Amino acid sequence: MKARGTPRSRGALAVLAAVALLFTLSVALTPERAVAAPVLVSQGKPVTASSAEGPFAASGAVDGDPATRWSSGFTDDEWLRVDLGARTPVSQVVLVWEAAYARGYRLEVSDDGERWTTVHSTTNGPGGTETLAVSGTGRYIRMHGTERATPWGYSLHEFQVYSSTGGPAPGDGDVLLSYGKPGSASTSQHDGTCWECSPDKAFDRDPASRWATSPEGGWSDPGWIAVDLGARAEIHRVVLQWDPAYATAYRVEVSDNGTDWTTMYETATGAGFRETLDVRGTGRHVRLHATRRSGPYGYSLWEFQVWGTGGAPNPAPPLPPAPDYDRLVFSDEFDGPAGTAPDPAKWVVETGPGPNNELEYYTDNRNAAHDGDGNLVLEARREETPGSSCPRDPLSGSTTCQYTSARLNTYGRFQFTYGRVEARIKVSGTQGLWPAFWMLGADYFDRGRPWPYTGEIDIMEHVGKEPGTTYSTLHAPAYHGAAGYGAPYSLPGGADFADGFHTFAMDWDGAGMTFRVDGRVTHTVNKERLERTRGPWVFDHDFFLILNNAVGGDWPGPPDATTRFPQKLSVDYVRVWR
């Protein structure tokens, strides 16, 4: 370092020289100030990708093992995304490329996994190991490839993200203050339409339970719900997950005594769904005071979360650990001898008439057996079950079940939260058939919770009247049935799914889901976007697997004169990785 100045005389120059010498000596004798080393914040975190080649899953890039890797499909527009768990300042990224590297790519950060900010971009990436200084803050970070250097895809041995602070951004160390705290409200509903809608349901961190105002006097303005945090707190954030009965105008208020209220936030343009509000206030009580409804009904919240410091918080149960998708935890290869029943250690047989106005009677393994060629076959037949009752069959005019089939599940044998699910299946075809591979929340049996509050994950549904198309769909209290959140996939060239085997897969973690057919991504679900646009995510708990081959029902319609029986749903394998 040099002192800059314009000496007025030779004497002044001498004095400055002496001062400069003393300054130089002091610098030489004073230890350098320590600079905090960047901290690796990406290792082992949840990771997703636009695609994956064979066994080279996304998790291979964040596991700290230089011998594993992620590889993408062979296209230019591919990406790898890491969820850091909270908004985190990022200072450095290390990319350890395999031979298939990116010539052009962007490094991007995001708070919600949807809107991205570029922190580094290049069109002449050198491959090898790149250590890049970046500056940005977000919960998510991704490498977004735009130009491949080889005919192959993109392949990373390591995608390492470092933070100079080693943790979340300021303010993101807040804790959930409202969990399990007592609530009060202007009114609350409890009837056949809303069976558990008391105020405490907004503070239980259960997105499938809610508070709602009562039809008797509560479907009017204003209405309110409040929470007692147990002690005075600094409040920084409020999260509202609305039911369709939301407030377009409301205030968020704070109080020390539950009587005298101070407004922290106010709007006349509430949008419903999920609203995350940055607020500042101090008090023991927090209240949502709604003054204008969005429709003719009252007010209803799935979740009312208060975040900050202080208070007397109850520790909320931790979410399940993120999967790395490399540990096989369930597998059935269906290699049993021809005619043998499904393995009872893995599958439970469901019997009786089906739901959804289906026309079949599910039998006790008379319609499910190994074929001796490595497949389990669920066969739908046209045969009557005396003494049974089904909706009227248009072909026969009878209300005695005219068809038999099979339905199996893994409840009590195997259930899990998060992972990769995959099955290789040849579907049944023809009008009126409805084969499916899907999952249902274990609380359907554990707690007797009704559908759709349990959540449902349809990995594959096929209806015979659409031979070349399958569907992947989520169902939850706010989006179910025909309004479920999903997408179709059609085979190229008008091919029929019933003509051969196809692989159906789903990757699932706390940030979302990715559905694939034959390795092609067909539907992606981002949790935060889902909650901002459709309703609460109810998929952070155990689910079990289901295979069934239905006949008739609300969606496919009944068999007609063109329908051919028997019809076989053949399953080569079912596998689950965690």
Side-chain angles (χ1 to χ4, degrees):
M1 179 180 289
K2 294 183 179 179
R4 296 182 182 270
T6 305
R8 296 184 179 182
S9 66
R10 291 179 182 268
L13 184 61
V15 170
L16 287 172
V19 171
L21 176 61
L22 289 172
F23 178 77
T24 301
L25 289 171
S26 68
V27 171
L29 296 173
T30 302
E32 292 186 11
R33 179 175 296 175
V35 177
V39 177
L40 180 62
V41 293
S42 55
Q43 189 162 308
K45 292 297 176 66
V47 59
T48 53
S50 54
S51 64
E53 179 198 0
F56 304 115
S59 58
V62 295
D63 60 2
D65 183 349
T68 60
R69 61 186 171 97
W70 162 70
S71 289
S72 76
F74 298 168
T75 64
D76 281 327
D77 187 23
E78 301 281 353
W79 50 262
L80 180 76
R81 184 188 76 177
V82 180
D83 179 358
L84 302 177
R87 292 186 74 246
T88 303
V90 176
S91 60
Q92 181 178 285
V93 171
V94 177
L95 303 173
V96 182
W97 294 100
E98 199 249 354
Y101 69 94
R103 179 176 291 116
Y105 65 89
R106 301 189 300 269
L107 297 178
E108 302 168 318
V109 295
S110 172
D111 287 333
D112 58 11
E114 292 292 319
R115 296 173 289 247
W116 295 92
T117 300
T118 299
V119 295
H120 176 84
S121 66
T122 185
T123 58
N124 58 356
T129 298
E130 296 184 73
T131 301
L132 308 168
V134 299
S135 179
T137 300
R139 171 173 174 167
Y140 303 91
I141 183 168
R142 74 178 177 183
M143 188 289 297
H144 192 142
T146 56
E147 183 185 359
R148 292 166 292 154
T150 73
W152 314 110
Y154 304 105
S155 186
L156 282 167
H157 283 290
E158 286 294 304
F159 180 27
Q160 297 178 339
V161 181
Y162 291 84
S163 174
S164 57
T165 67
D172 285 298
D174 292 343
V175 299
L176 180 59
L177 302 173
S178 52
Y179 170 69
K181 293 299 181 181
S184 56
S186 51
T187 66
S188 59
Q189 185 175 356
H190 187 82
D191 56 29
T193 304
C194 196
W195 54 285
E196 285 185 346
C197 292
S198 52
D200 59 298
K201 297 299 184 292
F203 309 112
D204 61 2
R205 215 189 67 176
D206 181 347
S209 67
R210 63 186 173 102
W211 161 75
T213 51
S214 171
E216 292 79 28
W219 287 5
S220 60
D221 301 320
W224 57 267
I225 180 173
V227 61
D228 179 355
L229 303 178
R232 209 161 187 262
E234 292 285 341
I235 298 149
H236 302 146
R237 185 167 79 244
V238 168
V239 179
L240 305 173
Q241 182 74 59
W242 292 99
D243 179 68
Y246 68 94
T248 58
Y250 62 88
R251 303 188 298 270
V252 179
E253 304 168 320
V254 67
S255 172
D256 284 329
N257 56 18
T259 302
D260 304 306
W261 298 93
T262 300
T263 298
M264 296 188 293
Y265 177 89
E266 186 170 9
T267 185
T269 57
F273 295 114
R274 184 181 180 92
E275 297 184 89
T276 301
L277 312 174
D278 291 325
V279 299
R280 289 293 180 271
T282 303
R284 172 171 173 163
H285 304 266
V286 180
R287 180 171 75 170
L288 170 79
H289 189 105
T291 55
R292 187 172 68 239
R293 291 164 293 145
S294 60
Y297 303 106
Y299 301 103
S300 184
L301 281 166
W302 297 104
E303 283 289 299
F304 178 11
Q305 296 182 351
V306 179
W307 294 77
T309 58
N314 298 317
L319 291 174
D324 52 23
Y325 307 118
D326 65 358
R327 181 166 52 95
L328 188 66
V329 293
F330 177 89
S331 174
D332 200 334
E333 306 299 316
F334 303 119
D335 291 329
T340 58
D343 185 349
K346 297 179 179 179
W347 299 98
V348 176
V349 180
E350 296 188 40
T351 60
N356 307 306
N357 289 313
E358 296 166 20
L359 300 176
E360 81 289 319
Y361 189 94
Y362 289 123
T363 67
D364 187 4
N365 276 342
R366 287 197 299 107
N367 296 64
H370 296 99
D371 66 359
D373 292 323
N375 305 304
L376 178 69
V377 176
L378 279 61
E379 186 171 86
R381 306 170 189 147
R382 186 169 186 181
E383 58 184 9
E384 185 177 87
T385 302
S388 64
S389 178
C390 281
R392 180 181 175 274
D393 170 38
L395 289 178
S396 65
S398 175
T399 56
T400 300
C401 298
Q402 298 294 301
Y403 309 92
T404 60
S405 192
R407 174 165 162 157
L408 310 172
N409 74 62
T410 65
Y411 177 77
R413 310 295 196 266
F414 174 72
Q415 51 229 39
F416 67 107
T417 307
Y418 306 157
R420 171 173 297 134
V421 186
E422 183 176 294
R424 186 170 180 265
I425 295 173
K426 180 180 179 182
V427 302
S428 54
T430 205
Q431 168 60 33
L433 269 289
W434 186 4
F437 174 47
W438 53 294
M439 299 166 59
L440 189 66
D443 50 356
Y444 182 82
F445 290 119
D446 290 346
R447 299 170 54 189
R449 178 170 254 179
W451 183 93
Y453 296 91
T454 57
E456 177 181 324
I457 305 169
D458 297 327
I459 302 170
M460 182 282 294
E461 288 185 285
H462 179 266
V463 289
K465 62 185 177 183
E466 299 180 47
T469 302
T470 57
Y471 292 81
S472 301
T473 312
L474 300 184
H475 300 272
Y479 42 95
H480 58 267
Y485 187 76
Y489 172 72
S490 297
L491 289 172
D496 187 339
F497 270 101
D499 287 342
F501 282 89
H502 296 273
T503 302
F504 302 92
M506 184 268 295
D507 289 354
W508 165 35
D509 61 23
M513 299 180 192
T514 301
F515 295 84
R516 294 181 176 85
V517 178
D518 296 332
R520 181 186 297 270
V521 174
T522 59
H523 180 44
T524 59
V525 181
N526 176 275
K527 174 183 176 179
E528 293 194 14
R529 181 180 181 185
L530 178 72
E531 294 193 323
R532 290 198 318 270
T533 59
R534 297 296 294 274
W537 162 277
V538 297
F539 305 101
D540 290 330
H541 62 100
D542 273 1
F543 279 68
F544 59 91
L545 303 170
I546 303 174
L547 285 165
N548 70 295
N549 195 15
V551 180
D554 298 322
W555 187 10
D560 61 19
T562 68
T563 304
R564 304 177 307 279
F565 285 101
Q567 284 291 326
K568 297 180 179 181
L569 169 66
S570 300
V571 187
D572 179 20
Y573 64 79
V574 175
R575 300 169 186 160
V576 179
W577 294 266
R578 277 282 290 143

